[in-house]
Amino acid sequence: MIDFKPLTTGKALSFISHPVAIITVNDGKKINGMTAAWVTQISIEPPILCVSISPKRHTWKMLAKVEYFGVCMLAEGQEKIANVFGTKSGNNVDKFGMMDIAPFMGAHKVPLIPDSLAGFVCRKSHQVEQGDHFALFGEVVEAWKGPEKRPLNWFKSGYHLG
Ligand SMILES: Cc1cc2nc3c(=O)[nH]c(=O)nc-3n(C[C@H](O)[C@H](O)[C@H](O)COP(=O)(O)O)c2cc1C
């Protein structure tokens, strides 16, 4: 017997497993970051990442002013960072300050989260509006590696370790 049942679209979409990342930005006046699960690699050569960001995010407004942004892939033990960066807005709070995170400054003064699995500095290439989000594409111009740890993933509305 085939085990395949109908499900609402929203519930079925929660079965897509995503990495948990922090998208970072420095507009010259302040730094900010937001949690994003909708992050993926699009191309090997040149290396291109794509992140899906709602225009409601303060990060999106800051991204409009800059050429470069950061993508930090979170690891086990960084769930609290994911929660704070994913629930508070840089419009009201300094998330780096409240989490006591001294950012590692990558190329073009893009802040990166120390001890993430990997950190990328990307140059904005294209953005495409799709529904209520924008797909932002960025070519990786610099990459860093953190400690060997298990990746933090987002699946069925909860954190899991890969
Ligand atoms: C696990 C998790 C994943 C998230 N993924 C995304 C995402 O892919 N795109 C997005 O626009 N918001 C996403 N969010 C919501 C933003 O991180 C959240 O609205 C954040 O507070 C925005 O911060 P900002 O206003 O400083 O930009 C996610 C939140 C969590 C907790």
Side-chain angles (χ1 to χ4, degrees):
M1 174 166 154
I2 298 172
D3 186 10
F4 217 52
K5 305 176 190 79
L7 199 60
T8 59
T9 305
K11 193 120 185 141
L13 287 171
S14 78
F15 283 82
I16 302 176
S17 179
H18 298 279
V20 181
I22 305 290
I23 310 306
T24 59
V25 60
N26 179 359
D27 70 1
K29 292 198 187 110
K30 68 175 181 184
I31 61 170
N32 188 33
M34 60 161 262
T35 305
W38 298 347
V39 174
T40 194
Q41 180 177 354
I42 292 292
S43 161
I44 300 170
E45 194 48 56
I48 295 174
L49 299 181
C50 178
V51 302
S52 174
I53 305 182
S54 161
K56 292 181 185 160
R57 313 293 181 233
H58 187 62
T59 303
W60 182 252
K61 293 173 182 80
M62 290 178 70
L63 282 167
K65 302 183 212 160
V66 300
E67 202 181 338
Y68 296 91
F69 64 97
V71 178
C72 303
M73 310 311 299
L74 296 191
E76 62 184 316
Q78 294 184 310
E79 292 85 347
K80 194 163 176 212
I81 295 175
N83 267 333
V84 169
F85 279 74
T87 54
K88 310 273 182 214
S89 177
N91 198 22
N92 320 308
V93 295
D94 166 11
K95 292 185 242 185
F96 281 87
M98 73 184 287
M99 288 299 290
D100 220 9
I101 296 174
F104 174 87
M105 284 298 178
H108 308 286
K109 297 193 177 145
V110 170
L112 299 173
I113 307 277
D115 297 331
S116 358
L117 285 183
F120 303 98
V121 176
C122 301
R123 182 163 31 77
K124 280 163 57 181
S125 56
H126 294 90
Q127 64 188 49
V128 183
E129 187 173 11
Q130 286 290 288
D132 55 10
H133 279 58
F134 280 84
L136 173 67
F137 297 87
E139 184 171 340
V140 176
V141 296
E142 188 182 58
W144 296 91
K145 179 193 170 300
E148 292 285 339
K149 287 193 174 169
R150 283 185 293 173
L152 189 61
N153 293 330
W154 183 252
F155 177 67
K156 283 171 77 180
S157 308
Y159 296 109
H160 299 264
L161 295 178

